Every structure is written in C-alpha cells, then in structure tokens.
Amino acid sequence: MRTTAPRRSAILAALAIVTTTAVLTACGTASTPSGDDGGLPAELGEFEGSVSILAWPGYVEDGSNDPAVDWVSSFEEETGCEVESQAYGTSDEAVNLVRSGGYDVVAASGDATLRLIAAGDVAPVNTDLIPSYEGVFDFLKEQAWNSVDGQSYGVPHGYGANLLLYNTEEVSPAPTSWDVVFDNADAYSGKITAYDSPIYIADAAVYLMAHQPELGIENPYALDEEQFQAAVDLLTAQREHVGEYWSDYLKEIQAFQTGDSVAGTTWQVIQNVLEGEGATTAVVLPEEGATGWSDTWMIASEAESPNCAYAWLDWIASPEVNAQATAYFGEAPSSQAACDFRDDCEAYHAGDEEYASQIWYWTTPIADCVDGRTDVECVDYAAWTEAWSQIKG
C-alpha cells in the first residue's frame, strides 16, 4: 500500500497523544540475547512477550487514533511482543523519562542521544541482528549523534530540516537567507517566530558561520566561549522581534493562519498542513544551510525485553513500515526502499545527499568539542539551557 502525506486530522490526533497503550501479555519463557566477545549480543533469544516504547507522538500508532494508521498490530501479531507506548513532548522530557526506568526502547533526537549514551542509559547495538539496518541511507549511519567511536547506538528512523517558513504576501522579496529572522528581523518585528528550545542556539551558530567567518565556527554544536557568546548575543538581539516561540506545532500553524507570524523556523509537515488549507505560505532551505533532526531508535541499557526491543528496531526500519511511520509524522524515510511505499519522497528530498549535506543534524553539545578540537573546551548543553532561559527572559 502506498501512503501519502498525513491528513490534517491525523496529524492533530498524533500530536494530541499523551500515552498510547496496549495490553501486556507474556509469551513463553524469555531469554536474554547471547553476547559476543565485544560485549554485544551475537544472537537473540526468545521474545519476552512485551516491549515498552518511549517516542515522539505519531511514532507508535496502533489504530486507536486513526483505524487506517496502524503499524503496531501487525508487529504484535508477527512477534508476540505486545506494545506499550508513551509519547513525550520534548527531548529533555524524554531524557528524564528514560532515566526514570521502565522503558525498553526510546526514539531520541540528536539533542538527547549523546546525553543518553554518556550516562549509560542506552546500550550499543549489534546491527547484524537488525536486517533492515543494511538498507538505511549511509549518510545517516555512524554519525556523531548516533554512534561513538564507530559503534552504533541505534537505528535511524527519519530525518528533516528546520526550514524557513514565510508568508508569501507579507515577506517580499522571497527570502533566501536566514537574515530575515536575524539581522533584518526589524522589518517584521513582532511577527518573527522561533523554535522554543536551547538547541535553537545552533540555528544562530549556523547563521554566524556564514556571516561572521572570523569566529571560526566549524560545527554549530561545538562552540567555545567566544563563539557561544556571539550566538547568544544574536538571539538576544532577535528577542525583541519575536512574537512567539513555538514548540507546539499546532500553535505555529495557527499563528501563520492568523497572520500573527510571518517568518520563522519550521518543519516541512507544517507547511504541508498550511498549504493544504490554502495558506499563503512557502518554505525554503536558506543559503546558509539549516539545523535539522535525525531520530534514532535506541535500546535502554536496563531493558527488560531486549529481544523484543531488537525486533522493534528491525520492524520500524523495514521499508513499508518506515514509509508509513515517517509519512504520518511528516519527514523523510530512512531508506530508498521505503520510497516504494510513498509518493512524496521528492518533497522531503529523501535520499538526496547534496540536500542532506546542508543540514546540521541536532547533536548534544558537550564539553569535548564534537568538531574535533582539543585545545579548547566547548560549552555544554547545561550551559545552553541556562542561556536559553536568559535569552527568553
């Protein structure tokens, strides 16, 4: 079955999720994966009968929100692993929930993955036990946000860019640069919008890479004190022109429909909804490039159902299922084979390595600079969080 871009009602249902649960049942005697000499499992044991999953809204659909949207039931039928899932709203919330325990699998964005890895909350995975992994786009594998020293910590799910959304009747000429929300934001003062998260500091850093090259920024997630302060200063100057910071994607849709916002960062799926409802909006990947996300399915270190967890990672990365899940959420799939089950891959630039190379995927800022520098210490995520609170006031 070919899937198409999600209907607005389906999107709204996905984003309204707080929790989605299915009955947990036992299925025979469980056994843990058998390890190899490197500490990774070499083979899987019997499925435990249940698996607990923590994910973004819309990632674990069982038909309860929309009977036509269900990739969980067939997984349960094939494996006997009954699914219990919980949705979260932010990466910080996800990290806290994982650390509270009780989850076997988490779908984590790059601004959470390294925190989970560094704390030992998630385990390295043996991708040989995940047949679907082979088909995943190479540019999503073994990246800074999902691996350490060449060791994978999960399976890529989907990806997308944080694009520039603008009102085509209000913003003229059509923007090609992020300067419309930074240096030239005063032209639309009060109607600029920005993503409400500390990770948005990286968006400022991407802009500075192009417009203040003397700062020497090579990676927007690896900022020394001087570089970090420059990004904070840019965002502080932007603050007086921001009408609303958004994290709830429905609020951004509404703001562009009412005209309260005319330019700002967005996701492709938001433009899809606006376009479907006749809004005078468009999106562009600006000339400076953009931040973006590539989510990773990871297995908790203390997973009670590691065999079912491995089964889920393989299932959700399989072409038809990945096509369903990523289309419903509104992002590019993780493999070219998934595009055989979608008719909108071109709109999401799926598999386009040149396009993907312009995206700086969310990566947790840490003191050990992820750009490879060893002569300085970079500003870590805790400091990003503190600075973001001060920027917003």
Side-chain angles (χ1 to χ4, degrees), residues 251-274:
K251 287 185 178 180
E252 183 174 47
I253 290 172
Q254 183 179 33
F256 273 85
Q257 288 173 327
T258 61
D260 289 339
S261 293
V262 299
T265 185
T266 197
W267 303 330
Q268 179 67 49
V269 65
I270 294 176
Q271 167 59 11
N272 291 352
V273 174
L274 288 166

Side-chain angles (χ1 to χ4, degrees), residues 144-339:
W145 63 87
N146 59 25
S147 66
V148 175
D149 296 332
Q151 172 58 58
S152 173
Y153 275 79
V155 175
H157 175 68
Y159 67 98
N162 294 314
L163 302 168
L164 173 59
L165 175 67
Y166 63 97
N167 185 314
T168 56
E169 293 185 346
E170 297 291 333
V171 180
S172 181
T176 59
S177 166
W178 287 111
D179 62 4
V180 71
V181 301
F182 289 124
D183 288 335
N184 297 328
D186 58 341
Y188 306 99
S189 189
K191 294 188 175 183
I192 298 297
T193 187
Y195 187 56
D196 189 1
S197 170
I199 206 67
Y200 183 66
I201 293 171
D203 291 59
V206 168
Y207 183 75
L208 291 173
M209 287 170 69
H211 294 273
Q212 293 188 33
E214 65 275 12
L215 288 169
I217 300 174
E218 298 291 337
N219 183 310
Y221 306 103
L223 305 177
D224 60 34
E225 288 289 350
E226 180 185 5
Q227 295 165 339
F228 182 74
Q229 190 58 52
V232 169
D233 290 345
L234 181 62
L235 293 171
T236 301
Q238 180 199 50
R239 176 67 184 91
E240 66 177 295
H241 305 299
V242 174
E244 182 179 48
Y245 291 99
W246 69 275
S247 58
D248 180 340
Y249 112 172
L250 300 180
K251 287 185 178 180
E252 183 174 47
I253 290 172
Q254 183 179 33
F256 273 85
Q257 288 173 327
T258 61
D260 289 339
S261 293
V262 299
T265 185
T266 197
W267 303 330
Q268 179 67 49
V269 65
I270 294 176
Q271 167 59 11
N272 291 352
V273 174
L274 288 166
E275 183 178 14
E277 298 195 349
T280 55
T281 58
V283 292
V284 64
L285 179 66
E287 58 195 22
E288 297 93 351
T291 61
W293 76 91
S294 172
D295 293 341
T296 303
W297 289 100
M298 312 180 86
I299 298 177
S301 301
E302 303 298 324
E304 295 181 4
S305 301
N307 298 294
C308 283
Y310 265 91
W312 176 262
L313 264 60
D314 185 52
W315 178 261
I316 199 65
S318 61
E320 186 168 359
V321 175
N322 188 257
Q324 283 184 281
T326 55
Y328 183 69
F329 188 80
E331 59 190 330
S334 65
S335 69
Q336 191 60 49
C339 287

Side-chain angles (χ1 to χ4, degrees), residues 7 31 34 63 72 116 132 135 143 152 220 238 252 270 286 288 304 318 339 353 374:
R7 293 175 291 113
S31 59
S34 159
V72 169
L116 294 172
S132 298
Q143 298 299 321
S152 173
Q238 180 199 50
E252 183 174 47
I270 294 176
E288 297 93 351
E304 295 181 4
S318 61
C339 287
E353 291 195 46
T374 58

